[in-house]
Amino acid sequence: MKVDATNATPRIRRGLALSPLLLALLLALLPAAAGAQAAERCFAETGSCISGRIREFWEANGGLAVFGLPLGAQQAVQIEGKTYQAQQFERTRLELHPENARPYDVLLGRIGADRLAQDGRDWFSFPKSEPQAGCRFFAETGHNVCGDILKAWRASGLEFDGKRGVSEAESLALFGLPLSGQMQESIEGKLYDVQWFERGRFELHPENQPPYNVLLGRLNAEMAANMNRWVLPGSQVFPEGIAYQASSGDFFVSSTTDGTIMRANAARPAAAQVFLAGGGDGRTTATGMKIDASGRLFVSGGSTGQMFVYSSADGTLLGKFSGLRQPTFINDVALTPNGDAFFTDSQSPVLYRVFTDTAGKLASEGWLDLSGTPIQYGQGFNLNGIAATGDGAYLIVVQSNTGKLFRISTASKAVSEISLGGQSVTNGDGILLDGQTLYVVRNQNGLIVKVSMAADFASGTVVSSSGDPALAYPTTIAKAGDRLLVVNSQFDKRGANAKPVLPFTVASIAAP
């Protein structure tokens, strides 16, 4: 049966004719132990087992050398909007498609394309080439495959034509089309020449003798290691705010550099996409954000003194408002159940409110002058993160330079300091109120503080103060399920002599 080489999902066939490369890899990677049950084979290296049709396919088509060790149990996954049973392996994903007759009932995932997408790398933008002598040129993607990589690509394939040897169609079924030319990349801290394909990454290891000098990358293992982060496009993003939309699973992230708003989905760790380009509507920087049940995205404009409201569906500007005082830094925003949005200003002692007026239009006001209240402004950043209680009765705010928390009544506008039993949360940035639990991000300290709040929010007890290796000068957080989405700003790496560690990311960590 013909394989459609122009389709990104060539169908998988029967047995594998092992090449010397794959045979050598197979011998080198034999499992330490196998399960005693005939229907199940388990691997001590990962603690995972394979069984049934996936085990049958795995064993018949090269096993460890081609697919690697299992990285978890078989489970239901969403693939192009449909639910299938699948299992993750070090080098690929095996999918069960019972709607297809054998051997097409087991398909390989496009792990090469998926891994590139996870890191925000667009393979369509990779440099193309013209046909070269001694190489195989693929016009479909505009890349040559040459030398030892071409030999390895041609030596292995999924046997489905009943003939001896490996045909090009069978190699295509196993590895797919080339997505790049040969290029140099860092793998585990060392530079190697590699070439990307739809279903794999070939790596040249000159330190090894043949056939070990050409190895397949452990792409699915890499994906698993990066499942809890989202890459933000750009080399100078320095992100700050995040807003999570529970109805869709989407979240939005702001760039302080140019005001770009990016969007990603909490259920699909991959590179974020630009939702609103920087500079639009005078939005040259953006900080804290929140999204309401109607899909309105409220954006703080930082040093511009602006407050923006957008449709999260299509990016339409619904409202734009200016603060009333200078100096100004509109830092963060909180939403109450009645639809009001309250913005903090870190430079001037005022809280702003954006609301719907009697004519049904968005309007703004300087809602509360903080002069003469327990919130005393001083040098540095003052009020920063803000959250609203579930009933909208109170606003909770953190003052970064003093490490104090305050409670503000939305009915009386009364302000009182929240007692933390003598403790403080200096450098407090974004905050998240989840019922009676308050999370405070201490940016410079790289910590997330968990505070148990009293029933009336007049006091709180610090429960824990924790960091995580995934954090890099965290600023704001959002809750998605039982995990926290944390913005890694890398603000400590701004400036002419400082370089951020690319890429910029949003990390997902377990809620303390």
Side-chain angles (χ1 to χ4, degrees):
M1 181 171 292
K2 180 181 179 181
V3 174
D4 180 6
T6 63
N7 193 314
T9 57
R11 294 306 187 223
I12 310 308
R13 312 300 193 245
R14 288 195 299 276
L16 173 69
L18 285 177
S19 68
L21 164 67
L22 294 183
L23 181 58
L25 283 171
L26 180 60
L27 293 174
L29 296 172
L30 283 174
Q37 300 180 37
E40 189 175 71
R41 182 175 178 181
C42 300
F43 300 86
E45 295 90 338
T46 61
S48 300
C49 304
I50 56 175
S51 62
R53 179 65 177 121
I54 284 183
R55 173 181 175 176
E56 178 186 357
F57 185 90
W58 185 91
E59 291 179 338
N61 291 293
L64 281 163
V66 175
F67 308 119
L69 293 163
L71 298 179
Q74 179 181 313
Q75 60 183 339
V77 298
Q78 287 286 320
I79 301 171
E80 297 180 355
K82 296 182 179 180
T83 301
Y84 296 97
Q85 287 291 313
Q87 192 162 7
Q88 306 289 347
F89 293 83
E90 288 180 286
R91 295 181 174 86
T92 192
R93 178 182 65 240
L94 295 183
E95 307 166 1
L96 289 178
H97 289 257
E99 72 277 10
N100 299 337
R102 288 195 179 204
Y104 314 111
D105 60 329
V106 181
L107 305 180
L108 286 168
R110 296 179 68 241
I111 195 68
D114 290 347
R115 179 70 183 98
L116 288 169
Q118 186 187 48
D119 266 356
R121 301 174 66 187
D122 181 7
W123 63 266
F124 287 98
S125 67
F126 288 161
K128 305 297 191 294
S129 60
E130 297 296 325
Q132 298 176 15
C135 302
R136 168 65 166 93
F137 178 71
F138 291 84
E140 298 90 342
T141 57
H143 297 294
N144 287 281
V145 184
C146 309
D148 287 343
I149 290 179
L150 178 60
K151 291 178 183 178
W153 188 88
R154 283 176 167 168
S156 303
L158 294 175
E159 167 59 44
F160 60 82
D161 61 6
K163 299 178 181 179
R164 294 178 62 85
V166 180
S167 69
E168 186 167 283
E170 290 168 336
S171 296
L172 185 68
L174 178 59
F175 300 119
L177 295 163
L179 302 183
S180 76
Q182 189 171 311
M183 60 176 65
Q184 196 169 72
E185 293 187 358
S186 177
I187 301 171
E188 297 180 356
K190 295 183 179 180
L191 289 176
Y192 295 98
D193 286 327
V194 306
Q195 187 161 13
W196 288 87
F197 291 79
E198 289 180 281
R199 296 182 174 82
R201 182 184 66 216
F202 284 82
E203 304 168 1
L204 292 177
H205 288 256
E207 72 277 12
N208 298 338
Q209 294 297 315
Y212 306 105
N213 64 321
V214 182
L215 301 178
L216 294 173
R218 298 173 64 249
L219 297 186
N220 220 6
E222 292 177 14
M223 288 197 70
N226 288 283
M227 281 298 287
N228 292 325
R229 72 167 193 167
W230 289 260
V231 169
L232 305 179
S235 61
Q236 295 292 318
V237 180
F238 296 105
E240 207 279 350
I242 187 168
Y244 176 68
Q245 186 175 40
S247 61
S248 66
D250 287 345
F251 63 87
F252 299 81
V253 183
S254 64
S255 166
T256 57
T257 303
D258 63 2
T260 296
I261 307 297
M262 295 150 283
R263 178 169 61 183
N265 189 276
R268 297 187 295 275
Q273 303 296 315
V274 173
F275 176 67
L276 293 170
D281 309 312
R283 194 188 64 259
T284 55
T285 186
T287 52
M289 302 187 297
K290 291 293 187 301
I291 190 168
D292 68 10
S294 300
R296 297 183 302 176
L297 180 66
F298 295 79
V299 180
S300 305
S303 58
T304 68
Q306 304 288 325
M307 295 162 278
F308 305 88
V309 187
Y310 292 96
S311 165
S312 65
D314 58 13
T316 300
L317 179 66
L318 304 177
K320 175 182 174 182
F321 307 96
S322 297
L324 305 175
R325 300 190 185 183
Q326 291 293 332
T328 183
F329 194 97
I330 307 298
N331 204 328
D332 206 354
V333 57
L335 306 177
T336 52
N338 67 350
D340 288 353
F342 293 87
F343 290 83
T344 59
D345 190 321
S346 297
Q347 295 297 311
S348 289
V350 60
L351 278 181
Y352 294 102
R353 181 174 73 120
V354 172
F355 61 99
T356 303
D357 63 18
T358 56
K361 296 182 179 180
L362 285 172
S364 70
E365 66 174 354
W367 181 75
L368 177 60
D369 187 334
L370 297 168
S371 301
T373 73
I375 302 175
Q376 298 296 307
Y377 270 48
Q379 293 295 318
F381 272 69
N382 290 272
L383 287 197
N384 195 330
I386 182 170
T389 59
D391 58 4
Y394 297 106
L395 301 173
I396 308 298
V397 293
V398 63
Q399 189 173 19
S400 295
N401 51 0
T402 65
K404 295 179 179 180
L405 294 173
F406 297 91
R407 185 192 72 173
I408 303 172
S409 169
T410 55
S412 67
K413 301 185 181 182
V415 179
S416 60
E417 183 177 348
I418 297 172
S419 173
L420 293 180
Q423 299 197 51
S424 69
V425 285
T426 51
N427 304 316
D429 200 326
I431 65 175
L432 169 69
L433 186 61
D434 183 24
Q436 298 300 129
T437 299
L438 179 71
Y439 296 98
V440 181
V441 182
R442 297 181 65 193
N443 51 31
Q444 293 183 37
N445 307 87
L447 297 172
I448 296 177
V449 179
K450 181 179 181 180
V451 182
S452 177
M453 301 296 293
D456 61 357
F457 298 97
S459 63
T461 301
V462 174
V463 176
S464 63
S465 184
S466 56
D468 191 281
L471 305 185
Y473 207 112
T475 50
T476 48
I477 56 177
K479 197 165 189 287
D482 60 352
R483 300 186 69 82
L484 298 181
L485 303 176
V486 188
V487 177
N488 286 319
S489 72
Q490 298 195 61
F491 283 167
D492 56 332
K493 293 182 172 59
R494 289 186 293 191
N497 298 320
K499 292 184 179 180
V501 178
L502 299 179
F504 287 96
T505 63
V506 169
S508 171
I509 65 173

